[in-house]
Amino acid sequence: AYLYLYELNDLERAADYMNRAADAGAPPWVKSLAARLYSKAGSLQMGLITLQQYYKTLKNPERKEKILKRIKALEERLKKSKK
């Protein structure tokens, strides 16, 4: 992920690798970072899906509330992009 993020500036590919790392046992917050990278790369749907997956793993109510706000914001961006 590092190579694609910092050396090649390919945010979507970096997000793919971070998402895979999270699925393979990396800390759960890596999913949140992958979602942010997908969104910045313009892949809003993948960002939303990844963030929803991360939300399901959370137990801390404060963290869940923050992530839920990000989910809602992404949903709004996605709606606007489809108009």
Side-chain angles (χ1 to χ4, degrees):
Y2 176 88
L3 174 69
Y4 290 102
L5 181 59
Y6 293 107
E7 301 295 331
L8 302 176
N9 200 30
D10 185 341
L11 300 180
E12 191 163 0
R13 181 70 59 91
D16 287 340
Y17 280 103
M18 289 202 182
N19 204 14
R20 288 182 193 178
D23 290 340
W29 57 264
V30 174
K31 278 257 189 223
S32 177
L33 180 55
R36 190 172 302 276
L37 291 174
Y38 279 128
S39 298
K40 282 187 176 185
S43 189
L44 300 178
Q45 187 66 43
M46 277 303 296
L48 180 60
I49 290 167
T50 304
L51 206 53
Q52 289 168 334
Q53 290 171 345
Y54 176 55
Y55 179 83
K56 291 176 187 177
T57 69
L58 296 174
K59 294 180 180 31
N60 180 311
E62 291 173 7
R63 188 72 185 138
K64 284 185 93 162
E65 185 178 325
K66 287 180 183 179
I67 296 302
L68 190 57
K69 286 180 184 178
R70 281 181 57 197
I71 288 171
K72 289 179 180 180
L74 258 179
E75 288 172 338
E76 280 300 311
R77 283 183 60 197
L78 197 56
K79 280 183 195 175
K80 287 178 183 178
S81 73
K82 290 184 177 181
K83 287 184 180 180

